[in-house]
Amino acid sequence: TKRVAILISGGGSNMVTLVNSMTGDHPARPVLVLSNDPNAGGLAKARALNVPTFAVDHKPFGKDRPAFEAALQKALEVAKPDIICLAGFMRILTPEFTRNWEGRMLNIHPSLLPKYKGLHTHVRALEAGDTEHGCSVHEVTAELDGGPILGQAKIAISADDTAETLAARLLPFEHQLYPQVLQRYAAGDRTPVMING
Ligand code: GAR
């Protein structure tokens, strides 16, 4: 059975769907939910699901990213995950950190990568006049939001969409996509999952 650590920064809705998916004959189990924000709403949700939690508050580290990442690394080394899922984790990770976990770390990003790496993806899709939008799960490499794509879900953009309505319509597709990709990945299958909403 593969051990999965999930890194969050906020509400953790993707984390909840991942945890709930890892039951029965699923090839993985959750071993840790780790947040950079001790007040992240997702931590209480993880505890309610009986998953161990830990927080490494990034604030006391200030601009010292390597020290923050050393603390993250220490927490992860205790949990010994085979796979790390970034799920709404909003800190940029340095190449030195991603190298430690390359081939073992996934991320979900709210755009149809390679479009719109980084922040404000919904606004950027609308401003570009795109007719479709979506989310991607990819392997994490040193390049921000740049690793091999393991799955995407697409939705149509309608004329009256705002960044808020788009984000809200996309989230349920994130919740479909990420568990499907994780299940395949944990079984050693990297065939992309494609969902048309
Ligand atoms: C999700 O929409 C996820 O795709 C996005 O943050 C949200 C987290 O929601 N991630 C990023 O923007 C990564 N740069 P959640 O905490 O409810 O899962």
Side-chain angles (χ1 to χ4, degrees):
T1 310
K2 296 278 165 46
R3 299 168 62 83
V4 175
I6 305 171
L7 271 57
I8 64 167
S9 297
S13 71
N14 277 288
M15 175 277 296
V16 168
T17 62
L18 289 173
V19 167
N20 285 333
S21 73
M22 287 184 263
T23 59
D25 60 6
H26 194 289
R29 288 291 184 270
V31 296
L32 177 68
V33 169
L34 180 54
S35 175
N36 64 292
D37 177 357
N39 297 314
L43 287 173
K45 294 177 195 167
R47 275 184 232 114
L49 291 165
N50 294 313
V51 181
T53 62
F54 195 71
V56 179
D57 189 351
H58 66 276
K59 287 196 207 85
F61 295 99
K63 288 187 162 70
D64 192 351
R65 232 177 251 281
F68 165 66
E69 290 180 342
L72 273 188
Q73 182 69 19
K74 212 172 144 189
L76 288 167
E77 280 171 0
V78 173
K80 297 191 193 335
D82 301 297
I83 300 170
I84 296 174
C85 291
L86 307 182
F89 185 71
M90 302 306 282
R91 306 303 297 173
I92 287 175
L93 297 167
T94 68
E96 290 67 37
F97 182 85
T98 59
R99 194 175 298 131
N100 293 332
W101 301 100
E102 194 149 348
R104 294 184 285 169
M105 183 155 55
L106 309 182
N107 179 43
I108 187 156
H109 182 73
S111 79
L112 292 174
L113 291 172
K115 286 182 138 181
Y116 315 129
K117 296 171 182 176
L119 297 176
H120 312 300
T121 57
H122 313 301
V123 174
R124 288 157 70 198
L126 287 171
E127 283 177 352
D130 291 358
T131 56
E132 54 180 23
H133 189 46
C135 53
S136 307
V137 175
H138 64 93
E139 263 188 275
V140 175
T141 61
E143 190 201 341
L144 178 72
D145 300 327
I149 292 171
L150 296 167
Q152 289 188 314
K154 279 186 190 175
I155 62 172
I157 295 181
S158 57
D160 56 359
D161 264 319
T162 63
E164 289 71 33
T165 63
L166 256 190
R169 285 201 296 115
L170 189 58
L171 196 58
F173 288 95
E174 298 190 34
H175 297 163
Q176 275 187 45
L177 179 68
Y178 210 171
Q180 287 189 37
V181 172
L182 175 62
Q183 179 153 14
R184 281 192 189 182
Y185 195 79
D189 179 358
R190 295 177 188 207
T191 327
V193 175
M194 292 299 169
I195 297 173
N196 271 296

